[in-house]
Structure formats: structure tokens, C-alpha cells
Amino acid sequence: QMGQQNSFETVKNAHGGTEIHKHWYPGYGSYWDQLRESIVSKKGLGNWKGFIWHQGTQEVWNEYEDTSLTYLGNLTGLIREVRVAMFAASLPGTWQCKEQIPVVVVQIGYWPQGGRWQRVREAQADYTASDPKAELVKTDDLSRFYHFDAPSFLIGGNRIARAYQAAMQASVSCPQTSALISSPKNSLINTESM
């Protein structure tokens, strides 16, 4: 039902096997400029309507640094800067503040298990619990393998859509210093890395 009356565009910016700080973190990550440009390039063409983040398993494989320990801070910084870019690229009046832009975080799935993996899952849950416009999508009951199978993609997509609807309906108080920004065409960005 979401797309039946309004047109929208999904902008996918994905790379497999990535870590937030090394690859996505604003001003540092090797893919940050590409992600930011995919947002900025749409300025004047519509409105950004949300951000979907699906990443995390690679955070546990680094043999030199346990990036699961910094995952929450890195995720928080990334989402903050993505919202800044989306807010600036949306037409005036779309959003009263960047904090209104909905976020869906897809939690890493069943596999793998263990300390680092659990810390990443907890960081993803902690972020969404602390942000009224963010929703968590759990996938630990889906495929038992590294990659999702076809039914898992269908179920996961349905969960993402429902989480997005819930995030859109949630309310948030804008900081006093926020500028006004809005429009007819919708855009939805999906960044995934598995």
C-alpha cells in the first residue's frame, strides 16, 4: 500500500564485506563520499523519505581490532550525517528537522553466533531503542546460513516495510535550532552490505 498512491525511488548503495568506520564513516570511510553523493545528487528532484541500514557481520571478522566495541558510536555518527545530507537535499518543508527522517536498521541474522556478533546485534538494538524515528528489523529467525535464501528475502522485505511505516508514524521533538524543509516525489535510500 505504501507505493500505490505515491511514486518513490529506492537508491541502493551497497558493497559487501564492509565495516562502518573503515568503509562508511563520514569523512573517513572509503565509501562515504559515494554514499553522500548519491544523496546530494538527488537535491531538487524530490524528497528523501528514509534510510535503511543493513550491515554488521563484517565487524566481527577483523583480527586486528574488535570493531564490535565501537559499533554503536560508529552507527550513531553515520546515521546522524546521512540524515544531515538527506535533510539538506530534500525540498523545503519536507522535514522540520533531520531527526524526523525515519531509519530502519536490519539486525544481523542468526549466523554467526558469539560475543562480537552479539555486541553488534545489541548495538543495533540500542541505537533503535534510543531513536524514536528508528526501528529494528530482526532476522535471526530466518536463514541459518551466511546469506539469506529467497523466502528470507521476502519475509525480510515485508518486515522492513512494516518497520518503515512504524518509523514514519513515530513522533520526535525537533531541536529549537532546526530549519524548515518538503515535497511530492519520494526517495528511499537502502544501503546494505552483507
Side-chain angles (χ1 to χ4, degrees), residues 158-185:
N158 184 279
R159 289 177 185 174
I160 290 168
R162 290 180 188 281
Y164 174 75
Q165 288 174 326
M168 278 293 292
Q169 293 172 1
S171 63
V172 64
S173 296
C174 291
Q176 295 288 356
T177 58
S178 294
L180 291 177
I181 295 208
S182 185
S183 154
K185 185 178 177 193

Side-chain angles (χ1 to χ4, degrees), residues 3 13 21 29 78 89 104 136-137 146 153 156 168 177 183:
N13 193 320
H21 188 261
L78 171 67
V104 174
L136 182 69
V137 172
Y146 183 67
F153 278 118
M168 278 293 292
T177 58
S183 154

Side-chain angles (χ1 to χ4, degrees), residues 4-191:
Q4 290 179 352
Q5 297 176 357
N6 298 315
S7 64
F8 68 93
E9 174 182 5
T10 300
V11 178
K12 180 178 177 180
N13 193 320
H15 297 275
T18 63
E19 299 170 37
I20 292 179
H21 188 261
K22 184 177 180 182
H23 299 102
W24 299 104
Y25 201 77
Y28 180 80
S30 55
Y31 298 128
W32 168 249
D33 289 339
Q34 180 183 353
L35 173 58
R36 187 177 182 288
E37 181 56 30
S38 70
I39 297 168
V40 173
S41 69
K42 300 291 183 181
K43 186 172 184 163
L45 300 176
N47 298 305
W48 287 99
K49 293 294 186 181
F51 180 66
I52 300 168
W53 182 251
H54 187 182
Q55 179 273 350
T57 55
Q58 199 63 31
E59 301 290 342
V60 302
W61 298 116
N62 189 326
E63 62 186 70
Y64 304 106
E65 179 183 9
D66 184 355
T67 57
S68 72
L69 296 170
T70 56
Y71 191 84
L72 178 58
N74 290 335
L75 180 62
T76 301
L78 171 67
I79 291 172
R80 179 183 54 243
E81 293 304 313
V82 165
R83 280 176 163 162
V84 166
M86 288 180 163
F87 182 80
S90 294
L91 295 171
T94 303
W95 307 107
Q96 293 178 351
C97 61
K98 68 182 180 349
E99 292 83 4
Q100 289 182 321
I101 298 172
V103 172
V104 174
V105 175
V106 182
Q107 195 174 46
I108 59 174
Y110 171 82
W111 185 89
Q113 298 290 317
R116 288 183 178 192
W117 294 276
Q118 191 55 36
R119 277 194 297 272
V120 171
R121 285 185 192 98
E122 288 170 4
Q124 292 168 329
D126 288 349
Y127 178 81
T128 57
S130 71
D131 183 332
K133 292 293 279 187
E135 291 289 327
L136 182 69
V137 172
K138 291 186 171 201
T139 60
D140 59 348
D141 61 336
L142 300 178
S143 177
R144 295 293 188 236
F145 303 102
Y146 183 67
H147 291 286
F148 293 116
D149 55 13
S152 298
F153 278 118
L154 293 172
I155 294 166
N158 184 279
R159 289 177 185 174
I160 290 168
R162 290 180 188 281
Y164 174 75
Q165 288 174 326
M168 278 293 292
Q169 293 172 1
S171 63
V172 64
S173 296
C174 291
Q176 295 288 356
T177 58
S178 294
L180 291 177
I181 295 208
S182 185
S183 154
K185 185 178 177 193
N186 305 322
S187 293
L188 179 66
I189 189 167
N190 177 349
T191 300

